[in-house]
Amino acid sequence: MAVQNKKQADLRSQSLDLLRFPLAIAVLAVHVVSPQTFYVKGEAINTMSMPAVEFLFNFISAFIRAQSVPIYYFISGYVFFYGVDFTSAVYKKKLKNRFRSLVIPYVVWNVLALAWILFKSMPCFASLTSGLNSIEPDFSLKALLFSFFDNSQGIIPTASVGAGHIYPVNSPLWFIRDLIIVVLTSPIVYWIVKKIRVPAVVAMLVLWFVADFYKWGHASQLITAYAFFMWGAYMSVHKKDMMAEFGRFSHISYFGYFALAIAYMICAYVKPEYCAILKLMNIFVGLIFAYNVAALLIRKSICKPNKFLSSSSFFIYISHYLIYNEVLKVLYMISTPATATGFVFLYLSAIVACVSLLLSVFYLMNRYVPSVLRVIAGRK
């Protein structure tokens, strides 16, 4: 029995490690393949007007958009309570650890984003900007502080995106911002999953579905954080075997994930009003699907987690937003595509270039300035 438990624990740990890198790449790909306007021979071209690019955008939206963050929250909830009796002393220790792994990187990378905006807003660097020079930056203390929470009121105000969601100046860090809030209230989460158990998790997931569908703004972002963190916390607190629990639904998750994603792609063309509900269903199924695929790959010895790639995933997540647009511009100037195929290749090349560049930076920092990397990436 002890040997069997150890094997299951190893499978769970390896599955989590195997997921980290592709989840980070998925977030990067979603940001790279987004509506863009390029200029070809002086004429503005909206890439989404090209059928091939629109297909690529819909494919990424169907299969990977919005899938990573809920899984990250689930992992965070599971790991946060794993193997401990949650006492006040443990809570204080967890806060100290999360201050290093979450708060410090959050502040550092938002500061770097602000510095990058300041750099690009200078007239002498106009070729690097995306219209920033037409907007007068507001460097008041209020605007600077808002940039760390809600960039719609930041130094260069941006409209809230999508369902009224709000983002810090380094947009993907909204995940960390809301995770910090959840961690601060983790004793409440612990009490709820300890006492109310499954009904609490189900209620939060239903609330997440409703909040996101009806576009409750920042509230829906927070509810997403709590719902999936609580789900992971429940499984950890009650010592549920994650792989066994999810494994029971492996075949359903394989079919459901692809069926829902394909249905999303079809509806994007004929019934776009149905896309939102299909996406939410696939986010839920996608979490179970991801763990089952990871476990299958490891059990069948098809692949195993790579320590370097796994450890680089958080660095890629928190840093890619600062460079992806510039990488796109540089590759565009080099390739100057004029056809739909050319723009598809541009987007795919930008994904590869961003990943390669960030992995190189991570490798060099890990080798030559590991102490700096530990601080900015929240590593132990």
Side-chain angles (χ1 to χ4, degrees):
M1 181 63 70
V3 173
Q4 180 66 24
N5 289 340
K6 186 179 186 304
K7 286 183 178 179
Q8 285 296 100
D10 289 343
L11 176 62
R12 180 181 60 245
S13 177
Q14 290 184 62
S15 298
L16 293 176
D17 287 340
L18 186 63
L19 284 173
R20 295 181 195 277
F21 183 70
L23 290 175
I25 302 307
V27 174
L28 184 151
V30 165
H31 289 140
V32 170
V33 185
S34 57
Q36 295 275 350
T37 299
F38 292 95
Y39 291 88
V40 178
K41 297 180 180 179
E43 180 183 355
I45 295 180
N46 181 355
T47 55
M48 291 302 120
S49 66
M50 300 177 176
V53 177
E54 184 184 15
F55 178 85
L56 176 63
F57 176 78
N58 288 333
F59 179 87
I60 286 180
S61 295
F63 282 90
I64 65 175
R65 186 179 299 275
Q67 302 286 155
S68 294
V69 167
I71 298 176
Y72 278 139
Y73 280 132
F74 179 92
I75 294 174
S76 299
Y78 189 89
V79 171
F80 192 84
F81 295 103
Y82 183 73
V84 297
D85 294 323
F86 198 67
T87 62
S88 59
V90 169
Y91 174 60
K92 292 175 183 177
K93 184 178 180 180
K94 293 280 185 180
L95 288 185
K96 182 179 178 181
N97 291 338
R98 293 312 184 272
F99 181 83
R100 181 179 64 250
S101 63
L102 296 177
V103 177
I104 292 177
Y106 182 81
V107 172
V108 167
W109 286 96
N110 276 307
V111 168
L112 289 174
L114 288 170
W116 184 228
I117 289 174
L118 174 61
F119 172 79
K120 294 198 298 179
S121 67
M122 297 178 181
C124 56
F125 299 114
S127 62
L128 294 174
T129 67
S130 303
L132 291 177
N133 288 330
S134 62
I135 303 173
E136 187 68 27
D138 177 8
F139 289 108
S140 67
L141 178 60
K142 177 183 176 182
L144 285 169
L145 292 176
F146 264 111
S147 295
F148 285 85
F149 190 84
D150 177 7
N151 199 45
S152 66
Q153 303 178 67
I155 64 169
I156 297 183
T158 56
S160 61
V161 181
H165 295 165
I166 62 173
Y167 302 89
V169 65
N170 190 337
S171 180
L173 300 194
W174 75 268
F175 156 72
I176 299 177
R177 177 199 64 199
D178 291 353
L179 180 58
I180 292 170
I181 296 172
V182 174
V183 166
L184 288 172
T185 58
S186 56
I188 299 174
V189 173
Y190 176 77
W191 185 90
I192 291 173
V193 298
K194 184 76 172 178
K195 301 297 183 181
I196 307 178
R197 303 165 74 98
V198 173
V201 176
V202 172
M204 282 302 300
L205 288 170
V206 170
L207 185 61
W208 156 72
F209 196 97
V210 172
D212 215 296
F213 184 78
Y214 286 104
K215 302 177 174 33
W216 288 2
H218 182 221
S220 66
Q221 290 173 291
L222 273 175
I223 291 169
T224 299
Y226 275 104
F228 287 92
F229 185 92
M230 189 176 291
W231 188 3
Y234 163 77
M235 298 195 77
S236 186
V237 168
H238 293 284
K239 297 179 172 56
K240 297 293 182 179
D241 187 335
M242 181 196 304
M243 308 321 300
E245 295 286 333
F246 289 160
R248 292 187 296 155
F249 305 100
S250 58
H251 296 297
I252 295 174
S253 69
Y254 299 151
F255 173 79
Y257 174 73
F258 284 101
L260 288 166
I262 292 169
Y264 178 101
M265 291 189 68
I266 295 171
C267 287
Y269 291 100
V270 296
K271 289 285 185 180
E273 63 271 22
Y274 294 147
C275 285
I277 193 167
L278 288 169
K279 182 78 258 185
L280 289 170
M281 292 167 65
N282 211 26
I283 289 171
F284 177 82
V285 174
L287 187 149
I288 302 172
F289 166 82
Y291 281 103
N292 280 321
V293 168
L296 178 66
L297 292 174
I298 293 170
R299 275 199 303 263
K300 299 293 184 180
S301 299
I302 298 172
C303 66
K304 61 181 180 179
N306 180 284
K307 185 177 180 180
F308 173 74
L309 295 181
S310 179
S311 61
S312 70
S313 58
F314 186 63
F315 178 80
I316 291 173
Y317 183 92
I318 60 180
S319 63
H320 76 272
Y321 201 73
L322 274 64
I323 69 159
Y324 84 90
N325 215 22
E326 317 318 321
V327 169
L328 263 176
K329 292 175 189 176
V330 170
L331 292 179
Y332 171 74
M333 289 187 290
I334 293 172
S335 61
T336 58
T339 64
T341 302
F343 277 104
V344 168
F345 182 75
L346 171 67
Y347 279 120
L348 297 179
S349 298
I351 294 171
V352 174
C354 286
V355 173
S356 300
L357 177 60
L358 292 174
L359 284 176
S360 298
V361 172
F362 180 82
Y363 171 80
L364 292 172
M365 293 190 71
N366 192 45
R367 181 168 183 177
Y368 296 107
V369 284
S371 58
V372 175
L373 183 62
R374 280 197 294 271
V375 173
I376 67 174
R379 305 179 75 203
K380 293 182 179 179

mmCIF file with all atom_site columns, all heavy atoms in Angstrom, residues 325-344:
data_model
loop_
_atom_site.group_PDB
_atom_site.id
_atom_site.type_symbol
_atom_site.label_atom_id
_atom_site.label_alt_id
_atom_site.label_comp_id
_atom_site.label_asym_id
_atom_site.label_entity_id
_atom_site.label_seq_id
_atom_site.pdbx_PDB_ins_code
_atom_site.Cartn_x
_atom_site.Cartn_y
_atom_site.Cartn_z
_atom_site.occupancy
_atom_site.B_iso_or_equiv
_atom_site.pdbx_formal_charge
_atom_site.auth_seq_id
_atom_site.auth_comp_id
_atom_site.auth_asym_id
_atom_site.auth_atom_id
_atom_site.pdbx_PDB_model_num
ATOM 1   N N   . ASN A 1 325 ? 4.783  42.042 -28.220 1.00 0.00 ? 325 ASN A N   1
ATOM 2   C CA  . ASN A 1 325 ? 4.385  42.986 -29.255 1.00 0.00 ? 325 ASN A CA  1
ATOM 3   C C   . ASN A 1 325 ? 5.588  43.479 -30.038 1.00 0.00 ? 325 ASN A C   1
ATOM 4   O O   . ASN A 1 325 ? 5.527  43.660 -31.262 1.00 0.00 ? 325 ASN A O   1
ATOM 5   C CB  . ASN A 1 325 ? 3.641  44.165 -28.625 1.00 0.00 ? 325 ASN A CB  1
ATOM 6   C CG  . ASN A 1 325 ? 2.535  44.676 -29.526 1.00 0.00 ? 325 ASN A CG  1
ATOM 7   O OD1 . ASN A 1 325 ? 2.039  43.966 -30.390 1.00 0.00 ? 325 ASN A OD1 1
ATOM 8   N ND2 . ASN A 1 325 ? 2.165  45.919 -29.339 1.00 0.00 ? 325 ASN A ND2 1
ATOM 9   N N   . GLU A 1 326 ? 6.698  43.694 -29.340 1.00 0.00 ? 326 GLU A N   1
ATOM 10  C CA  . GLU A 1 326 ? 7.908  44.162 -30.021 1.00 0.00 ? 326 GLU A CA  1
ATOM 11  C C   . GLU A 1 326 ? 8.495  43.066 -30.904 1.00 0.00 ? 326 GLU A C   1
ATOM 12  O O   . GLU A 1 326 ? 9.020  43.336 -31.981 1.00 0.00 ? 326 GLU A O   1
ATOM 13  C CB  . GLU A 1 326 ? 8.949  44.634 -28.997 1.00 0.00 ? 326 GLU A CB  1
ATOM 14  C CG  . GLU A 1 326 ? 8.425  45.472 -27.838 1.00 0.00 ? 326 GLU A CG  1
ATOM 15  C CD  . GLU A 1 326 ? 7.387  46.507 -28.228 1.00 0.00 ? 326 GLU A CD  1
ATOM 16  O OE1 . GLU A 1 326 ? 7.527  47.138 -29.291 1.00 0.00 ? 326 GLU A OE1 1
ATOM 17  O OE2 . GLU A 1 326 ? 6.423  46.674 -27.468 1.00 0.00 ? 326 GLU A OE2 1
ATOM 18  N N   . VAL A 1 327 ? 8.411  41.816 -30.434 1.00 0.00 ? 327 VAL A N   1
ATOM 19  C CA  . VAL A 1 327 ? 8.880  40.701 -31.257 1.00 0.00 ? 327 VAL A CA  1
ATOM 20  C C   . VAL A 1 327 ? 8.059  40.610 -32.538 1.00 0.00 ? 327 VAL A C   1
ATOM 21  O O   . VAL A 1 327 ? 8.596  40.406 -33.635 1.00 0.00 ? 327 VAL A O   1
ATOM 22  C CB  . VAL A 1 327 ? 8.808  39.375 -30.470 1.00 0.00 ? 327 VAL A CB  1
ATOM 23  C CG1 . VAL A 1 327 ? 9.042  38.177 -31.391 1.00 0.00 ? 327 VAL A CG1 1
ATOM 24  C CG2 . VAL A 1 327 ? 9.821  39.371 -29.336 1.00 0.00 ? 327 VAL A CG2 1
ATOM 25  N N   . LEU A 1 328 ? 6.747  40.775 -32.417 1.00 0.00 ? 328 LEU A N   1
ATOM 26  C CA  . LEU A 1 328 ? 5.884  40.784 -33.598 1.00 0.00 ? 328 LEU A CA  1
ATOM 27  C C   . LEU A 1 328 ? 6.308  41.873 -34.581 1.00 0.00 ? 328 LEU A C   1
ATOM 28  O O   . LEU A 1 328 ? 6.381  41.641 -35.798 1.00 0.00 ? 328 LEU A O   1
ATOM 29  C CB  . LEU A 1 328 ? 4.433  41.013 -33.180 1.00 0.00 ? 328 LEU A CB  1
ATOM 30  C CG  . LEU A 1 328 ? 3.516  39.798 -33.025 1.00 0.00 ? 328 LEU A CG  1
ATOM 31  C CD1 . LEU A 1 328 ? 2.157  40.232 -32.501 1.00 0.00 ? 328 LEU A CD1 1
ATOM 32  C CD2 . LEU A 1 328 ? 3.362  39.041 -34.334 1.00 0.00 ? 328 LEU A CD2 1
ATOM 33  N N   . LYS A 1 329 ? 6.589  43.062 -34.059 1.00 0.00 ? 329 LYS A N   1
ATOM 34  C CA  . LYS A 1 329 ? 6.972  44.176 -34.931 1.00 0.00 ? 329 LYS A CA  1
ATOM 35  C C   . LYS A 1 329 ? 8.290  43.899 -35.649 1.00 0.00 ? 329 LYS A C   1
ATOM 36  O O   . LYS A 1 329 ? 8.423  44.154 -36.851 1.00 0.00 ? 329 LYS A O   1
ATOM 37  C CB  . LYS A 1 329 ? 7.096  45.462 -34.113 1.00 0.00 ? 329 LYS A CB  1
ATOM 38  C CG  . LYS A 1 329 ? 5.782  45.983 -33.567 1.00 0.00 ? 329 LYS A CG  1
ATOM 39  C CD  . LYS A 1 329 ? 6.047  47.180 -32.673 1.00 0.00 ? 329 LYS A CD  1
ATOM 40  C CE  . LYS A 1 329 ? 4.795  47.584 -31.932 1.00 0.00 ? 329 LYS A CE  1
ATOM 41  N NZ  . LYS A 1 329 ? 5.055  48.683 -30.977 1.00 0.00 ? 329 LYS A NZ  1
ATOM 42  N N   . VAL A 1 330 ? 9.258  43.390 -34.907 1.00 0.00 ? 330 VAL A N   1
ATOM 43  C CA  . VAL A 1 330 ? 10.560 43.106 -35.516 1.00 0.00 ? 330 VAL A CA  1
ATOM 44  C C   . VAL A 1 330 ? 10.426 42.041 -36.603 1.00 0.00 ? 330 VAL A C   1
ATOM 45  O O   . VAL A 1 330 ? 10.960 42.197 -37.713 1.00 0.00 ? 330 VAL A O   1
ATOM 46  C CB  . VAL A 1 330 ? 11.574 42.654 -34.438 1.00 0.00 ? 330 VAL A CB  1
ATOM 47  C CG1 . VAL A 1 330 ? 12.848 42.125 -35.105 1.00 0.00 ? 330 VAL A CG1 1
ATOM 48  C CG2 . VAL A 1 330 ? 11.900 43.805 -33.499 1.00 0.00 ? 330 VAL A CG2 1
ATOM 49  N N   . LEU A 1 331 ? 9.697  40.975 -36.307 1.00 0.00 ? 331 LEU A N   1
ATOM 50  C CA  . LEU A 1 331 ? 9.512  39.923 -37.304 1.00 0.00 ? 331 LEU A CA  1
ATOM 51  C C   . LEU A 1 331 ? 8.719  40.426 -38.502 1.00 0.00 ? 331 LEU A C   1
ATOM 52  O O   . LEU A 1 331 ? 8.964  40.003 -39.647 1.00 0.00 ? 331 LEU A O   1
ATOM 53  C CB  . LEU A 1 331 ? 8.803  38.716 -36.671 1.00 0.00 ? 331 LEU A CB  1
ATOM 54  C CG  . LEU A 1 331 ? 9.609  37.943 -35.628 1.00 0.00 ? 331 LEU A CG  1
ATOM 55  C CD1 . LEU A 1 331 ? 8.774  36.794 -35.062 1.00 0.00 ? 331 LEU A CD1 1
ATOM 56  C CD2 . LEU A 1 331 ? 10.899 37.397 -36.225 1.00 0.00 ? 331 LEU A CD2 1
ATOM 57  N N   . TYR A 1 332 ? 7.784  41.325 -38.255 1.00 0.00 ? 332 TYR A N   1
ATOM 58  C CA  . TYR A 1 332 ? 7.016  41.908 -39.365 1.00 0.00 ? 332 TYR A CA  1
ATOM 59  C C   . TYR A 1 332 ? 7.928  42.735 -40.269 1.00 0.00 ? 332 TYR A C   1
ATOM 60  O O   . TYR A 1 332 ? 7.849  42.647 -41.504 1.00 0.00 ? 332 TYR A O   1
ATOM 61  C CB  . TYR A 1 332 ? 5.882  42.772 -38.833 1.00 0.00 ? 332 TYR A CB  1
ATOM 62  C CG  . TYR A 1 332 ? 5.197  43.568 -39.913 1.00 0.00 ? 332 TYR A CG  1
ATOM 63  C CD1 . TYR A 1 332 ? 4.339  42.933 -40.812 1.00 0.00 ? 332 TYR A CD1 1
ATOM 64  C CD2 . TYR A 1 332 ? 5.419  44.929 -40.063 1.00 0.00 ? 332 TYR A CD2 1
ATOM 65  C CE1 . TYR A 1 332 ? 3.715  43.648 -41.826 1.00 0.00 ? 332 TYR A CE1 1
ATOM 66  C CE2 . TYR A 1 332 ? 4.803  45.646 -41.066 1.00 0.00 ? 332 TYR A CE2 1
ATOM 67  C CZ  . TYR A 1 332 ? 3.956  45.001 -41.941 1.00 0.00 ? 332 TYR A CZ  1
ATOM 68  O OH  . TYR A 1 332 ? 3.348  45.703 -42.952 1.00 0.00 ? 332 TYR A OH  1
ATOM 69  N N   . MET A 1 333 ? 8.808  43.541 -39.671 1.00 0.00 ? 333 MET A N   1
ATOM 70  C CA  . MET A 1 333 ? 9.723  44.351 -40.468 1.00 0.00 ? 333 MET A CA  1
ATOM 71  C C   . MET A 1 333 ? 10.692 43.486 -41.263 1.00 0.00 ? 333 MET A C   1
ATOM 72  O O   . MET A 1 333 ? 11.096 43.841 -42.369 1.00 0.00 ? 333 MET A O   1
ATOM 73  C CB  . MET A 1 333 ? 10.490 45.329 -39.564 1.00 0.00 ? 333 MET A CB  1
ATOM 74  C CG  . MET A 1 333 ? 9.633  46.456 -39.016 1.00 0.00 ? 333 MET A CG  1
ATOM 75  S SD  . MET A 1 333 ? 10.584 47.717 -38.125 1.00 0.00 ? 333 MET A SD  1
ATOM 76  C CE  . MET A 1 333 ? 11.066 46.814 -36.657 1.00 0.00 ? 333 MET A CE  1
ATOM 77  N N   . ILE A 1 334 ? 11.039 42.323 -40.706 1.00 0.00 ? 334 ILE A N   1
ATOM 78  C CA  . ILE A 1 334 ? 11.953 41.419 -41.403 1.00 0.00 ? 334 ILE A CA  1
ATOM 79  C C   . ILE A 1 334 ? 11.254 40.698 -42.552 1.00 0.00 ? 334 ILE A C   1
ATOM 80  O O   . ILE A 1 334 ? 11.784 40.592 -43.667 1.00 0.00 ? 334 ILE A O   1
ATOM 81  C CB  . ILE A 1 334 ? 12.547 40.390 -40.419 1.00 0.00 ? 334 ILE A CB  1
ATOM 82  C CG1 . ILE A 1 334 ? 13.465 41.089 -39.406 1.00 0.00 ? 334 ILE A CG1 1
ATOM 83  C CG2 . ILE A 1 334 ? 13.324 39.302 -41.175 1.00 0.00 ? 334 ILE A CG2 1
ATOM 84  C CD1 . ILE A 1 334 ? 13.935 40.176 -38.300 1.00 0.00 ? 334 ILE A CD1 1
ATOM 85  N N   . SER A 1 335 ? 10.037 40.206 -42.283 1.00 0.00 ? 335 SER A N   1
ATOM 86  C CA  . SER A 1 335 ? 9.354  39.357 -43.270 1.00 0.00 ? 335 SER A CA  1
ATOM 87  C C   . SER A 1 335 ? 8.411  40.119 -44.193 1.00 0.00 ? 335 SER A C   1
ATOM 88  O O   . SER A 1 335 ? 8.132  39.653 -45.304 1.00 0.00 ? 335 SER A O   1
ATOM 89  C CB  . SER A 1 335 ? 8.575  38.255 -42.559 1.00 0.00 ? 335 SER A CB  1
ATOM 90  O OG  . SER A 1 335 ? 7.585  38.812 -41.699 1.00 0.00 ? 335 SER A OG  1
ATOM 91  N N   . THR A 1 336 ? 7.898  41.276 -43.721 1.00 0.00 ? 336 THR A N   1
ATOM 92  C CA  . THR A 1 336 ? 6.921  42.096 -44.463 1.00 0.00 ? 336 THR A CA  1
ATOM 93  C C   . THR A 1 336 ? 5.894  41.233 -45.207 1.00 0.00 ? 336 THR A C   1
ATOM 94  O O   . THR A 1 336 ? 5.817  41.268 -46.441 1.00 0.00 ? 336 THR A O   1
ATOM 95  C CB  . THR A 1 336 ? 7.623  43.044 -45.453 1.00 0.00 ? 336 THR A CB  1
ATOM 96  O OG1 . THR A 1 336 ? 8.412  42.252 -46.370 1.00 0.00 ? 336 THR A OG1 1
ATOM 97  C CG2 . THR A 1 336 ? 8.482  44.048 -44.740 1.00 0.00 ? 336 THR A CG2 1
ATOM 98  N N   . PRO A 1 337 ? 5.111  40.446 -44.497 1.00 0.00 ? 337 PRO A N   1
ATOM 99  C CA  . PRO A 1 337 ? 4.123  39.585 -45.164 1.00 0.00 ? 337 PRO A CA  1
ATOM 100 C C   . PRO A 1 337 ? 3.022  40.415 -45.812 1.00 0.00 ? 337 PRO A C   1
ATOM 101 O O   . PRO A 1 337 ? 2.665  41.493 -45.326 1.00 0.00 ? 337 PRO A O   1
ATOM 102 C CB  . PRO A 1 337 ? 3.572  38.743 -44.010 1.00 0.00 ? 337 PRO A CB  1
ATOM 103 C CG  . PRO A 1 337 ? 3.760  39.594 -42.798 1.00 0.00 ? 337 PRO A CG  1
ATOM 104 C CD  . PRO A 1 337 ? 5.029  40.347 -43.032 1.00 0.00 ? 337 PRO A CD  1
ATOM 105 N N   . ALA A 1 338 ? 2.499  39.916 -46.900 1.00 0.00 ? 338 ALA A N   1
ATOM 106 C CA  . ALA A 1 338 ? 1.413  40.609 -47.599 1.00 0.00 ? 338 ALA A CA  1
ATOM 107 C C   . ALA A 1 338 ? 0.232  39.683 -47.864 1.00 0.00 ? 338 ALA A C   1
ATOM 108 O O   . ALA A 1 338 ? -0.764 40.105 -48.431 1.00 0.00 ? 338 ALA A O   1
ATOM 109 C CB  . ALA A 1 338 ? 1.928  41.200 -48.911 1.00 0.00 ? 338 ALA A CB  1
ATOM 110 N N   . THR A 1 339 ? 0.350  38.423 -47.449 1.00 0.00 ? 339 THR A N   1
ATOM 111 C CA  . THR A 1 339 ? -0.724 37.450 -47.665 1.00 0.00 ? 339 THR A CA  1
ATOM 112 C C   . THR A 1 339 ? -1.174 36.869 -46.336 1.00 0.00 ? 339 THR A C   1
ATOM 113 O O   . THR A 1 339 ? -0.481 36.982 -45.317 1.00 0.00 ? 339 THR A O   1
ATOM 114 C CB  . THR A 1 339 ? -0.249 36.304 -48.573 1.00 0.00 ? 339 THR A CB  1
ATOM 115 O OG1 . THR A 1 339 ? 0.799  35.581 -47.897 1.00 0.00 ? 339 THR A OG1 1
ATOM 116 C CG2 . THR A 1 339 ? 0.278  36.850 -49.901 1.00 0.00 ? 339 THR A CG2 1
ATOM 117 N N   . ALA A 1 340 ? -2.323 36.215 -46.356 1.00 0.00 ? 340 ALA A N   1
ATOM 118 C CA  . ALA A 1 340 ? -2.841 35.587 -45.142 1.00 0.00 ? 340 ALA A CA  1
ATOM 119 C C   . ALA A 1 340 ? -1.879 34.521 -44.632 1.00 0.00 ? 340 ALA A C   1
ATOM 120 O O   . ALA A 1 340 ? -1.620 34.420 -43.421 1.00 0.00 ? 340 ALA A O   1
ATOM 121 C CB  . ALA A 1 340 ? -4.209 34.975 -45.419 1.00 0.00 ? 340 ALA A CB  1
ATOM 122 N N   . THR A 1 341 ? -1.328 33.729 -45.530 1.00 0.00 ? 341 THR A N   1
ATOM 123 C CA  . THR A 1 341 ? -0.367 32.694 -45.142 1.00 0.00 ? 341 THR A CA  1
ATOM 124 C C   . THR A 1 341 ? 0.853  33.314 -44.476 1.00 0.00 ? 341 THR A C   1
ATOM 125 O O   . THR A 1 341 ? 1.379  32.796 -43.482 1.00 0.00 ? 341 THR A O   1
ATOM 126 C CB  . THR A 1 341 ? 0.076  31.876 -46.369 1.00 0.00 ? 341 THR A CB  1
ATOM 127 O OG1 . THR A 1 341 ? -1.074 31.293 -46.983 1.00 0.00 ? 341 THR A OG1 1
ATOM 128 C CG2 . THR A 1 341 ? 1.058  30.784 -45.970 1.00 0.00 ? 341 THR A CG2 1
ATOM 129 N N   . GLY A 1 342 ? 1.298  34.443 -45.020 1.00 0.00 ? 342 GLY A N   1
ATOM 130 C CA  . GLY A 1 342 ? 2.446  35.142 -44.451 1.00 0.00 ? 342 GLY A CA  1
ATOM 131 C C   . GLY A 1 342 ? 2.183  35.622 -43.040 1.00 0.00 ? 342 GLY A C   1
ATOM 132 O O   . GLY A 1 342 ? 3.053  35.542 -42.165 1.00 0.00 ? 342 GLY A O   1
ATOM 133 N N   . PHE A 1 343 ? 0.962  36.117 -42.787 1.00 0.00 ? 343 PHE A N   1
ATOM 134 C CA  . PHE A 1 343 ? 0.632  36.595 -41.448 1.00 0.00 ? 343 PHE A CA  1
ATOM 135 C C   . PHE A 1 343 ? 0.452  35.444 -40.464 1.00 0.00 ? 343 PHE A C   1
ATOM 136 O O   . PHE A 1 343 ? 0.794  35.578 -39.284 1.00 0.00 ? 343 PHE A O   1
ATOM 137 C CB  . PHE A 1 343 ? -0.629 37.468 -41.501 1.00 0.00 ? 343 PHE A CB  1
ATOM 138 C CG  . PHE A 1 343 ? -0.358 38.894 -41.901 1.00 0.00 ? 343 PHE A CG  1
ATOM 139 C CD1 . PHE A 1 343 ? -0.668 39.343 -43.174 1.00 0.00 ? 343 PHE A CD1 1
ATOM 140 C CD2 . PHE A 1 343 ? 0.235  39.775 -41.014 1.00 0.00 ? 343 PHE A CD2 1
ATOM 141 C CE1 . PHE A 1 343 ? -0.414 40.647 -43.547 1.00 0.00 ? 343 PHE A CE1 1
ATOM 142 C CE2 . PHE A 1 343 ? 0.493  41.081 -41.373 1.00 0.00 ? 343 PHE A CE2 1
ATOM 143 C CZ  . PHE A 1 343 ? 0.177  41.529 -42.653 1.00 0.00 ? 343 PHE A CZ  1
ATOM 144 N N   . VAL A 1 344 ? -0.085 34.323 -40.920 1.00 0.00 ? 344 VAL A N   1
ATOM 145 C CA  . VAL A 1 344 ? -0.166 33.146 -40.053 1.00 0.00 ? 344 VAL A CA  1
ATOM 146 C C   . VAL A 1 344 ? 1.234  32.713 -39.643 1.00 0.00 ? 344 VAL A C   1
ATOM 147 O O   . VAL A 1 344 ? 1.501  32.426 -38.464 1.00 0.00 ? 344 VAL A O   1
ATOM 148 C CB  . VAL A 1 344 ? -0.909 31.984 -40.757 1.00 0.00 ? 344 VAL A CB  1
ATOM 149 C CG1 . VAL A 1 344 ? -0.736 30.683 -39.971 1.00 0.00 ? 344 VAL A CG1 1
ATOM 150 C CG2 . VAL A 1 344 ? -2.382 32.317 -40.914 1.00 0.00 ? 344 VAL A CG2 1
#
